[in-house]
Amino acid sequence: MKKLKLLIITGPSGSGKTRLSNLLFKNLNNAFVLSTDNYYKTGFTSKVLATFIKAYFDKPISFNKKLIRKDIKTILKDKKLSHFYKYDFIKQKRLKFYKEFSEIDYLIIEGIFALEILEYLEKQNYILIRIKSNKRDCRERACKRDYIERGKKQNKSFKDFKNAWEIYKIKEKTFKLNQLKELFYFTRSSDIKKILKLLSTNI
């Protein structure tokens, strides 16, 4: 049986994590993408906390670690999953869809909470990809996405991005990102070839 290979994609809001994960998905056979954006907590308590806690959706308190850990464990063990989640940012609801995914050879985990996943993977080999992009470009992409997909007004998007950027930068220092030996910096589209080359070797 082919050994499952694991990729973790991290970066600030708007850096292009989802875009890169989609590129990898198209270039890899039997790949599966888990976006941490689809594992937000839901329900009354979450809605209340979102109202009173500044930048709630950019902080780990909003992230359902237990749920995503369960799915990751299943994929690593069986190389398959029978469902996927999609979070509706406007309604603040997480939808569950049933579909059989089998023979998963590449698991791609991306999102602003990707670094939080590392604590579950102490005994796993993985490639950690940090997307490098300047603050202005990230802000433009994040605000455009928030308007189109999440129904946010421009002023709120700018404010939310500022908070998200600061939170992520603190997180990078907390995780001592620059000291991780598994780290690969993604800066341009041509770097996709380097990632695929890394995956062609045993990790």
Side-chain angles (χ1 to χ4, degrees), residues 103-145:
E103 298 182 4
I104 298 171
D105 292 324
Y106 300 93
L107 174 57
I108 304 165
I109 302 174
E110 64 90 10
I112 60 169
F113 299 119
L115 290 177
E116 278 79 1
I117 301 299
L118 297 183
E119 64 181 288
Y120 311 145
L121 305 172
E122 292 180 357
K123 297 181 180 180
Q124 297 290 328
N125 292 321
Y126 57 83
I127 295 175
L128 176 62
I129 303 169
R130 170 27 170 121
I131 300 182
K132 296 188 73 173
S133 184
N134 64 63
K135 186 175 182 179
R136 184 182 64 182
D137 289 344
C138 287
R139 182 181 64 216
E140 288 180 0
R141 284 193 291 262
C143 291
K144 182 179 179 180
R145 174 204 64 200

Short mmCIF file of all heavy atoms in Angstrom, two decimals, residues 103-145:
data_model
loop_
_atom_site.label_atom_id
_atom_site.label_comp_id
_atom_site.label_asym_id
_atom_site.label_seq_id
_atom_site.Cartn_x
_atom_site.Cartn_y
_atom_site.Cartn_z
N GLU A 103 -8.83 5.61 -0.94
CA GLU A 103 -7.47 5.55 -1.48
C GLU A 103 -6.82 6.93 -1.52
O GLU A 103 -6.21 7.33 -2.52
CB GLU A 103 -7.49 4.93 -2.88
CG GLU A 103 -8.00 3.49 -2.90
CD GLU A 103 -7.98 2.87 -4.28
OE1 GLU A 103 -7.48 3.54 -5.21
OE2 GLU A 103 -8.44 1.75 -4.42
N ILE A 104 -6.94 7.67 -0.42
CA ILE A 104 -6.33 8.99 -0.33
C ILE A 104 -4.81 8.83 -0.15
O ILE A 104 -4.36 8.25 0.83
CB ILE A 104 -6.92 9.79 0.85
CG1 ILE A 104 -8.42 10.01 0.63
CG2 ILE A 104 -6.21 11.13 1.00
CD1 ILE A 104 -9.14 10.60 1.84
N ASP A 105 -4.05 9.34 -1.11
CA ASP A 105 -2.59 9.24 -1.04
C ASP A 105 -1.93 10.53 -0.57
O ASP A 105 -0.80 10.51 -0.08
CB ASP A 105 -2.02 8.87 -2.42
CG ASP A 105 -2.38 7.45 -2.84
OD1 ASP A 105 -2.42 6.57 -1.95
OD2 ASP A 105 -2.63 7.22 -4.03
N TYR A 106 -2.64 11.65 -0.74
CA TYR A 106 -2.10 12.95 -0.34
C TYR A 106 -3.17 13.70 0.47
O TYR A 106 -4.26 13.97 -0.04
CB TYR A 106 -1.71 13.79 -1.55
CG TYR A 106 -0.66 13.15 -2.42
CD1 TYR A 106 -1.04 12.37 -3.52
CD2 TYR A 106 0.69 13.31 -2.16
CE1 TYR A 106 -0.09 11.77 -4.33
CE2 TYR A 106 1.66 12.71 -2.96
CZ TYR A 106 1.26 11.94 -4.04
OH TYR A 106 2.21 11.34 -4.84
N LEU A 107 -2.85 14.02 1.69
CA LEU A 107 -3.75 14.81 2.52
C LEU A 107 -3.18 16.23 2.64
O LEU A 107 -2.06 16.42 3.12
CB LEU A 107 -3.89 14.20 3.92
CG LEU A 107 -4.71 15.01 4.93
CD1 LEU A 107 -6.12 15.29 4.40
CD2 LEU A 107 -4.76 14.29 6.28
N ILE A 108 -3.96 17.20 2.18
CA ILE A 108 -3.55 18.60 2.21
C ILE A 108 -4.41 19.33 3.24
O ILE A 108 -5.64 19.36 3.12
CB ILE A 108 -3.74 19.26 0.83
CG1 ILE A 108 -2.97 18.49 -0.25
CG2 ILE A 108 -3.31 20.73 0.87
CD1 ILE A 108 -3.37 18.84 -1.68
N ILE A 109 -3.78 19.89 4.25
CA ILE A 109 -4.50 20.64 5.29
C ILE A 109 -4.11 22.10 5.17
O ILE A 109 -2.91 22.44 5.24
CB ILE A 109 -4.17 20.11 6.69
CG1 ILE A 109 -4.51 18.62 6.79
CG2 ILE A 109 -4.93 20.89 7.76
CD1 ILE A 109 -4.08 17.97 8.10
N GLU A 110 -5.10 22.97 4.97
CA GLU A 110 -4.78 24.39 4.80
C GLU A 110 -5.72 25.27 5.62
O GLU A 110 -6.84 24.86 5.94
CB GLU A 110 -4.86 24.78 3.31
CG GLU A 110 -6.25 24.66 2.68
CD GLU A 110 -7.07 25.93 2.78
OE1 GLU A 110 -6.52 26.99 3.16
OE2 GLU A 110 -8.28 25.87 2.50
N GLY A 111 -5.26 26.47 5.93
CA GLY A 111 -6.11 27.42 6.64
C GLY A 111 -5.36 28.17 7.73
O GLY A 111 -4.20 27.87 8.04
N ILE A 112 -6.02 29.14 8.32
CA ILE A 112 -5.36 29.96 9.33
C ILE A 112 -5.07 29.18 10.61
O ILE A 112 -4.27 29.61 11.43
CB ILE A 112 -6.18 31.23 9.67
CG1 ILE A 112 -7.58 30.85 10.21
CG2 ILE A 112 -6.29 32.13 8.47
CD1 ILE A 112 -8.32 32.04 10.79
N PHE A 113 -5.73 28.02 10.78
CA PHE A 113 -5.48 27.19 11.95
C PHE A 113 -4.63 25.96 11.63
O PHE A 113 -4.57 25.02 12.41
CB PHE A 113 -6.81 26.74 12.59
CG PHE A 113 -7.66 27.88 13.06
CD1 PHE A 113 -8.93 28.08 12.53
CD2 PHE A 113 -7.19 28.77 14.02
CE1 PHE A 113 -9.72 29.14 12.96
CE2 PHE A 113 -7.98 29.83 14.45
CZ PHE A 113 -9.24 30.02 13.92
N ALA A 114 -3.96 26.00 10.50
CA ALA A 114 -3.14 24.85 10.10
C ALA A 114 -2.02 24.58 11.10
O ALA A 114 -1.68 23.42 11.36
CB ALA A 114 -2.54 25.09 8.70
N LEU A 115 -1.46 25.61 11.69
CA LEU A 115 -0.37 25.42 12.65
C LEU A 115 -0.86 24.70 13.90
O LEU A 115 -0.11 23.94 14.53
CB LEU A 115 0.26 26.76 13.03
CG LEU A 115 1.09 27.44 11.93
CD1 LEU A 115 1.59 28.80 12.41
CD2 LEU A 115 2.25 26.56 11.49
N GLU A 116 -2.13 24.93 14.26
CA GLU A 116 -2.68 24.25 15.44
C GLU A 116 -2.75 22.73 15.23
O GLU A 116 -2.82 21.97 16.19
CB GLU A 116 -4.08 24.79 15.75
CG GLU A 116 -4.11 26.08 16.55
CD GLU A 116 -3.84 27.31 15.72
OE1 GLU A 116 -3.64 27.19 14.49
OE2 GLU A 116 -3.82 28.42 16.27
N ILE A 117 -2.76 22.31 13.98
CA ILE A 117 -2.85 20.88 13.66
C ILE A 117 -1.54 20.16 13.98
O ILE A 117 -1.54 18.95 14.23
CB ILE A 117 -3.19 20.69 12.16
CG1 ILE A 117 -4.52 21.37 11.82
CG2 ILE A 117 -3.25 19.22 11.79
CD1 ILE A 117 -5.70 20.84 12.58
N LEU A 118 -0.43 20.88 14.00
CA LEU A 118 0.88 20.25 14.16
C LEU A 118 0.99 19.44 15.46
O LEU A 118 1.71 18.44 15.50
CB LEU A 118 1.99 21.31 14.12
CG LEU A 118 2.13 22.08 12.81
CD1 LEU A 118 3.31 23.04 12.88
CD2 LEU A 118 2.29 21.15 11.62
N GLU A 119 0.28 19.86 16.50
CA GLU A 119 0.37 19.15 17.78
C GLU A 119 -0.20 17.73 17.68
O GLU A 119 0.12 16.88 18.51
CB GLU A 119 -0.37 19.93 18.86
CG GLU A 119 -1.86 20.05 18.64
CD GLU A 119 -2.54 20.86 19.73
OE1 GLU A 119 -2.66 20.33 20.86
OE2 GLU A 119 -2.94 22.02 19.46
N TYR A 120 -1.02 17.45 16.67
CA TYR A 120 -1.58 16.12 16.50
C TYR A 120 -0.67 15.23 15.65
O TYR A 120 -0.94 14.05 15.50
CB TYR A 120 -2.94 16.17 15.79
CG TYR A 120 -3.93 17.15 16.35
CD1 TYR A 120 -4.82 17.82 15.53
CD2 TYR A 120 -3.99 17.41 17.72
CE1 TYR A 120 -5.73 18.73 16.04
CE2 TYR A 120 -4.89 18.29 18.24
CZ TYR A 120 -5.77 18.96 17.39
OH TYR A 120 -6.68 19.85 17.90
N LEU A 121 0.38 15.82 15.10
CA LEU A 121 1.17 15.12 14.09
C LEU A 121 2.61 14.86 14.51
O LEU A 121 3.50 14.76 13.67
CB LEU A 121 1.17 15.93 12.78
CG LEU A 121 -0.21 16.28 12.22
CD1 LEU A 121 -0.07 17.24 11.06
CD2 LEU A 121 -0.96 15.03 11.80
N GLU A 122 2.84 14.73 15.80
CA GLU A 122 4.19 14.55 16.32
C GLU A 122 4.88 13.32 15.73
O GLU A 122 6.09 13.31 15.53
CB GLU A 122 4.16 14.45 17.85
CG GLU A 122 3.76 15.75 18.53
CD GLU A 122 3.75 15.62 20.04
OE1 GLU A 122 4.00 14.51 20.53
OE2 GLU A 122 3.50 16.63 20.72
N LYS A 123 4.10 12.27 15.45
CA LYS A 123 4.69 11.02 14.95
C LYS A 123 4.52 10.87 13.44
O LYS A 123 4.84 9.82 12.89
CB LYS A 123 4.04 9.83 15.67
CG LYS A 123 4.29 9.81 17.17
CD LYS A 123 3.65 8.59 17.81
CE LYS A 123 3.90 8.57 19.31
NZ LYS A 123 3.27 7.38 19.97
N GLN A 124 4.04 11.93 12.79
CA GLN A 124 3.81 11.89 11.35
C GLN A 124 4.87 12.71 10.61
O GLN A 124 5.33 13.74 11.09
CB GLN A 124 2.43 12.47 11.02
CG GLN A 124 1.28 11.69 11.60
CD GLN A 124 1.10 10.34 10.94
OE1 GLN A 124 1.37 10.15 9.77
NE2 GLN A 124 0.61 9.39 11.71
N ASN A 125 5.25 12.23 9.44
CA ASN A 125 6.11 13.01 8.56
C ASN A 125 5.22 13.92 7.71
O ASN A 125 4.18 13.50 7.23
CB ASN A 125 6.92 12.10 7.65
CG ASN A 125 7.96 11.30 8.42
OD1 ASN A 125 8.58 11.82 9.35
ND2 ASN A 125 8.14 10.05 8.06
N TYR A 126 5.65 15.15 7.52
CA TYR A 126 4.85 16.08 6.74
C TYR A 126 5.74 17.17 6.14
O TYR A 126 6.89 17.36 6.58
CB TYR A 126 3.76 16.73 7.60
CG TYR A 126 4.27 17.46 8.81
CD1 TYR A 126 4.74 18.78 8.73
CD2 TYR A 126 4.29 16.85 10.06
CE1 TYR A 126 5.21 19.44 9.85
CE2 TYR A 126 4.76 17.51 11.18
CZ TYR A 126 5.22 18.80 11.07
OH TYR A 126 5.70 19.45 12.19
N ILE A 127 5.20 17.86 5.16
CA ILE A 127 5.84 19.06 4.62
C ILE A 127 4.99 20.24 5.04
O ILE A 127 3.79 20.28 4.78
CB ILE A 127 5.93 19.00 3.08
CG1 ILE A 127 6.85 17.86 2.64
CG2 ILE A 127 6.46 20.33 2.54
CD1 ILE A 127 6.90 17.68 1.13
N LEU A 128 5.60 21.20 5.70
CA LEU A 128 4.90 22.42 6.11
C LEU A 128 5.24 23.53 5.12
O LEU A 128 6.42 23.86 4.92
CB LEU A 128 5.32 22.84 7.52
CG LEU A 128 4.75 24.16 8.04
CD1 LEU A 128 3.22 24.09 8.12
CD2 LEU A 128 5.33 24.50 9.41
N ILE A 129 4.22 24.06 4.47
CA ILE A 129 4.41 25.11 3.46
C ILE A 129 3.91 26.44 4.00
O ILE A 129 2.74 26.57 4.36
CB ILE A 129 3.64 24.76 2.17
CG1 ILE A 129 4.10 23.40 1.63
CG2 ILE A 129 3.84 25.85 1.12
CD1 ILE A 129 3.22 22.87 0.52
N ARG A 130 4.80 27.41 4.06
CA ARG A 130 4.43 28.76 4.51
C ARG A 130 4.39 29.67 3.28
O ARG A 130 5.39 29.84 2.59
CB ARG A 130 5.44 29.24 5.53
CG ARG A 130 5.46 30.70 6.01
CD ARG A 130 4.20 31.50 5.99
NE ARG A 130 4.38 32.76 6.71
CZ ARG A 130 4.22 33.96 6.17
NH1 ARG A 130 3.87 34.09 4.90
NH2 ARG A 130 4.38 35.04 6.90
N ILE A 131 3.22 30.21 2.96
CA ILE A 131 3.09 31.09 1.81
C ILE A 131 3.58 32.49 2.18
O ILE A 131 3.12 33.08 3.16
CB ILE A 131 1.63 31.17 1.32
CG1 ILE A 131 1.15 29.78 0.92
CG2 ILE A 131 1.51 32.14 0.15
CD1 ILE A 131 -0.25 29.74 0.38
N LYS A 132 4.51 33.00 1.40
CA LYS A 132 5.05 34.34 1.64
C LYS A 132 4.37 35.32 0.68
O LYS A 132 4.41 35.16 -0.54
CB LYS A 132 6.56 34.37 1.43
CG LYS A 132 7.32 33.49 2.42
CD LYS A 132 8.83 33.68 2.30
CE LYS A 132 9.27 35.01 2.87
NZ LYS A 132 10.74 35.13 2.90
N SER A 133 3.73 36.33 1.24
CA SER A 133 3.05 37.35 0.45
C SER A 133 3.03 38.64 1.27
O SER A 133 2.96 38.59 2.50
CB SER A 133 1.62 36.90 0.13
OG SER A 133 0.97 37.82 -0.70
N ASN A 134 3.12 39.79 0.60
CA ASN A 134 3.16 41.03 1.36
C ASN A 134 1.78 41.41 1.89
O ASN A 134 0.75 40.92 1.41
CB ASN A 134 3.75 42.18 0.51
CG ASN A 134 2.90 42.53 -0.69
OD1 ASN A 134 1.75 42.96 -0.56
ND2 ASN A 134 3.45 42.36 -1.88
N LYS A 135 1.78 42.27 2.87
CA LYS A 135 0.56 42.61 3.59
C LYS A 135 -0.49 43.24 2.69
O LYS A 135 -1.69 42.94 2.79
CB LYS A 135 0.89 43.55 4.76
CG LYS A 135 -0.28 43.85 5.67
CD LYS A 135 0.17 44.69 6.86
CE LYS A 135 -0.99 44.96 7.81
NZ LYS A 135 -0.55 45.76 8.99
N ARG A 136 -0.07 44.12 1.79
CA ARG A 136 -1.02 44.81 0.91
C ARG A 136 -1.77 43.83 0.01
O ARG A 136 -3.00 43.91 -0.13
CB ARG A 136 -0.29 45.85 0.05
CG ARG A 136 -1.24 46.68 -0.83
CD ARG A 136 -0.47 47.64 -1.70
NE ARG A 136 0.37 46.94 -2.65
CZ ARG A 136 1.18 47.53 -3.51
NH1 ARG A 136 1.30 48.85 -3.52
NH2 ARG A 136 1.92 46.82 -4.35
N ASP A 137 -1.02 42.89 -0.61
CA ASP A 137 -1.65 41.91 -1.49
C ASP A 137 -2.60 41.01 -0.71
O ASP A 137 -3.69 40.67 -1.20
CB ASP A 137 -0.58 41.06 -2.19
CG ASP A 137 0.19 41.84 -3.24
OD1 ASP A 137 -0.29 42.93 -3.63
OD2 ASP A 137 1.27 41.38 -3.65
N CYS A 138 -2.18 40.62 0.48
CA CYS A 138 -3.05 39.77 1.32
C CYS A 138 -4.34 40.49 1.67
O CYS A 138 -5.42 39.90 1.62
CB CYS A 138 -2.31 39.38 2.61
SG CYS A 138 -1.00 38.16 2.38
N ARG A 139 -4.21 41.77 2.01
CA ARG A 139 -5.39 42.56 2.38
C ARG A 139 -6.36 42.67 1.21
O ARG A 139 -7.57 42.51 1.38
CB ARG A 139 -4.97 43.95 2.84
CG ARG A 139 -6.16 44.82 3.30
CD ARG A 139 -5.68 46.18 3.73
NE ARG A 139 -5.10 46.89 2.60
CZ ARG A 139 -4.04 47.71 2.69
NH1 ARG A 139 -3.44 47.90 3.86
NH2 ARG A 139 -3.57 48.33 1.62
N GLU A 140 -5.82 42.92 0.02
CA GLU A 140 -6.69 43.06 -1.16
C GLU A 140 -7.44 41.76 -1.45
O GLU A 140 -8.64 41.77 -1.72
CB GLU A 140 -5.85 43.47 -2.37
CG GLU A 140 -5.36 44.91 -2.31
CD GLU A 140 -4.53 45.28 -3.52
OE1 GLU A 140 -4.35 44.42 -4.41
OE2 GLU A 140 -4.06 46.44 -3.59
N ARG A 141 -6.73 40.64 -1.37
CA ARG A 141 -7.37 39.35 -1.64
C ARG A 141 -8.39 39.00 -0.56
O ARG A 141 -9.49 38.51 -0.85
CB ARG A 141 -6.31 38.26 -1.76
CG ARG A 141 -5.55 38.27 -3.07
CD ARG A 141 -4.75 37.00 -3.25
NE ARG A 141 -3.65 36.91 -2.31
CZ ARG A 141 -2.40 37.24 -2.59
NH1 ARG A 141 -2.09 37.70 -3.79
NH2 ARG A 141 -1.45 37.12 -1.69
N ALA A 142 -8.02 39.23 0.70
CA ALA A 142 -8.92 38.89 1.81
C ALA A 142 -10.19 39.72 1.77
O ALA A 142 -11.30 39.20 1.97
CB ALA A 142 -8.20 39.08 3.14
N CYS A 143 -10.06 41.00 1.49
CA CYS A 143 -11.23 41.88 1.47
C CYS A 143 -12.14 41.57 0.28
O CYS A 143 -13.37 41.63 0.40
CB CYS A 143 -10.78 43.34 1.42
SG CYS A 143 -10.01 43.90 2.97
N LYS A 144 -11.53 41.22 -0.85
CA LYS A 144 -12.33 40.84 -2.02
C LYS A 144 -13.10 39.56 -1.74
O LYS A 144 -14.29 39.44 -2.03
CB LYS A 144 -11.42 40.65 -3.23
CG LYS A 144 -12.17 40.30 -4.51
CD LYS A 144 -11.21 40.15 -5.68
CE LYS A 144 -11.96 39.78 -6.96
NZ LYS A 144 -11.03 39.63 -8.11
N ARG A 145 -12.43 38.59 -1.12
CA ARG A 145 -13.08 37.32 -0.75
C ARG A 145 -14.20 37.55 0.25
O ARG A 145 -15.29 36.99 0.12
CB ARG A 145 -12.04 36.38 -0.14
CG ARG A 145 -12.60 35.09 0.44
CD ARG A 145 -11.67 34.52 1.48
NE ARG A 145 -11.56 35.42 2.64
CZ ARG A 145 -10.56 35.38 3.51
NH1 ARG A 145 -9.58 34.51 3.37
NH2 ARG A 145 -10.54 36.23 4.54
#
